[in-house]
Amino acid sequence: MFAPGGYALDMAKTRPTRGATLNRESHRFSLPAREADGDWLDEREAIDGEAPRLRTTVTVEKPKTILTRNNSPDIAFDQSVNPYRGCEHGCIYCFARPSHAYHDLSPGLDFETRLFAKPDAPRLLREALSKRGYVCRPIAFGTNTDPYQPIEGKWRITRGCIELLAECDHPVTITTKSDRVTRDLDLLTPMAAKGLAAVMVSVTSLDPRISMTVEPRAPHPEKRLAAVRKLHEAGVPVFVSLAPVIPQVTDHELEHILERAAEAGARGAFFLPVRLPHEVAPLFRAWLDTHFPDRAGKVMATIQSLRGGRDNDPDFHTRMRGQGPWADLLRTRFQHAVRRYGLDGERLRLRTDLFRPPAGPQGELF
């Protein structure tokens, strides 16, 4: 099987339902290494060498607060909500993977299979919005892990939070790879009519062969573009995110993705060169060796040219743009394409003046 550009894509070596090829522990926080959990599937793998079919588990997490504050100078939002920890979509490049190390879990396969849900999120959000002195600013969903990953279908925590925001006319932005976001159009459409909602749909490749290895459990790219169209037709401002662009793997698709996004009704677009913080870098390298062994060295050499000679550049501003000739070329191509397809309009600003604190236990009598 061949990927665009004539490169061989060895599907025989893939694990078709998961992204990471490793489950290496992280010791950044001086946590002891975990032993095998004794599952009989581990025994089978040791006996006959077959890779076990990994099962997804969900653990209830009970945080004390749900609003996360951000003061990074190169990020547009300053507060966010993450209903889940870990993400079953399994995107190999996900910069949130290292967060699993805080739980003494691997940023590799554990991040995709050992998930955490926060069912108290709507209640905690109500408490936060009810506090005296709360200043209304848009709340971002999907900044760490996808709020519409598969388990949202059962847990509906994201929906519970959006129901609250709709109740008190609070602005919200959503970033997702999933067409499941359209299930909440009954909430998002009236919010958008008031200038309170916007959605960013991530589309990194239109080639299903590439998508199935880069983002193995995310919906098909065509489903995401269909979601863009459905959001647009419902009156919800929708944008498309090409994040990340992976050199030598997906960069050749940049213009085509933007063209399809415009056809579907996207209002604007955004792109970001791939980032490989902390444990993501060795996971990404192992993924390349498995799926693209013929160009693994070339991909990493290009990424390092974008990142000042390193696998990752953690510095504010340059971490989002990249540097050097490759970064300049990507920016130039992107700027030309968004102008060509009419995706360079004015940035959307959501309203904050309509917000009213949510009603307390006795309603709005007092």
Side-chain angles (χ1 to χ4, degrees):
M1 188 174 292
F2 290 86
Y7 290 106
L9 185 61
D10 190 351
M11 303 303 292
K13 296 181 180 179
T14 67
R15 180 191 291 269
T17 60
R18 299 295 177 180
T21 58
L22 302 174
N23 207 38
R24 183 180 297 160
E25 284 90 0
S26 169
H27 302 294
R28 276 193 299 128
F29 304 102
S30 299
L31 298 171
R34 292 180 294 105
E35 296 182 357
D37 61 11
D39 192 292
W40 73 271
L41 290 174
D42 295 326
E43 298 294 331
R44 188 188 73 180
E45 183 177 23
I47 293 171
D48 60 21
E50 293 182 15
R53 185 173 183 83
L54 297 175
R55 297 167 295 182
T56 300
T57 64
V58 182
T59 300
V60 170
E61 183 175 345
K62 293 187 174 294
K64 295 182 178 179
T65 60
I66 198 63
L67 267 183
T68 300
R69 309 288 182 179
N70 163 65
N71 58 6
S72 299
D74 56 354
I75 295 178
F77 63 89
D78 57 10
Q79 54 182 3
S80 62
V81 168
N82 290 291
Y84 305 103
R85 189 188 301 271
C87 187
E88 198 172 8
H89 283 164
C91 306
I92 188 59
Y93 52 73
C94 183
F95 65 85
R97 284 182 178 273
S99 64
H100 248 46
Y102 286 102
H103 291 268
D104 195 16
L105 294 171
S106 170
L109 290 169
D110 282 350
F111 177 80
E112 308 171 34
T113 60
R114 302 179 67 168
L115 312 180
F116 295 83
K118 307 173 188 177
D120 288 339
R123 176 183 63 80
L124 294 171
L125 184 57
R126 181 178 292 273
E127 292 176 1
L129 302 187
S130 300
K131 287 183 178 179
R132 187 182 300 274
Y134 173 77
V135 177
C136 177
R137 293 184 295 274
I139 293 177
F141 285 72
T143 61
N144 200 41
T145 56
D146 201 308
Y148 287 100
Q149 61 179 288
I151 59 173
E152 168 64 12
K154 173 184 176 180
W155 291 83
R156 295 167 67 87
I157 302 172
T158 299
R159 181 176 175 88
C161 292
I162 296 175
E163 286 175 337
L164 171 63
L165 298 179
E167 171 191 323
C168 55
D169 285 336
H170 194 294
V172 61
T173 64
I174 298 168
T175 301
T176 181
K177 287 185 165 59
S178 179
D179 58 327
R180 296 179 190 91
V181 65
T182 61
R183 299 177 187 178
D184 288 341
L185 277 175
D186 60 314
L187 300 172
L188 296 173
T189 298
M191 291 182 74
K194 297 178 182 179
L196 297 173
V199 176
M200 178 88 77
V201 177
S202 174
V203 182
T204 55
S205 174
L206 297 176
D207 186 330
R209 296 171 299 173
I210 293 177
S211 184
M212 71 180 289
T213 61
V214 178
E215 306 156 340
R217 292 204 172 192
H220 192 286
E222 293 297 334
K223 285 189 174 182
R224 297 183 229 174
L225 288 171
V228 171
R229 184 176 301 280
K230 195 169 182 179
L231 288 159
H232 167 67
E233 291 174 348
V236 179
V238 58
F239 301 78
V240 166
S241 168
L242 285 71
V245 174
I246 305 176
Q248 319 295 344
V249 178
T250 65
D251 63 287
H252 64 283
E253 298 187 68
L254 186 148
E255 288 83 0
H256 190 202
I257 293 173
L258 292 172
E259 180 182 15
R260 293 290 307 281
E263 291 172 353
R267 198 180 275 200
F270 164 82
F271 93 101
L272 179 72
V274 66
R275 296 174 54 208
L276 303 176
H278 302 297
E279 294 89 350
V280 180
L283 288 169
F284 186 81
R285 284 178 175 273
W287 174 84
L288 280 175
D289 289 341
T290 298
H291 297 290
F292 298 97
D294 56 331
R295 57 180 131 166
K298 186 175 182 179
V299 173
M300 288 308 304
T302 307
I303 289 174
Q304 289 177 344
S305 76
L306 284 160
R307 300 300 180 187
R310 299 172 287 180
D311 285 355
N312 185 61
D313 174 10
D315 297 337
F316 290 133
H317 302 296
T318 55
R319 64 177 181 164
M320 298 299 182
R321 300 194 309 264
Q323 53 187 301
W326 249 94
D328 293 341
L329 177 60
L330 282 176
R331 274 194 298 274
T332 300
R333 288 174 57 195
F334 179 81
Q335 290 164 359
H336 282 222
V338 294
R339 285 197 297 269
R340 182 186 313 150
Y341 299 118
L343 296 172
D344 56 345
E346 183 179 351
R347 171 178 283 184
L348 179 71
R349 296 188 181 278
L350 300 180
R351 296 184 65 176
T352 58
D353 58 307
L354 300 179
F355 171 71
R356 58 188 186 281
Q362 299 184 33
E364 297 180 342
L365 297 177
F366 303 98

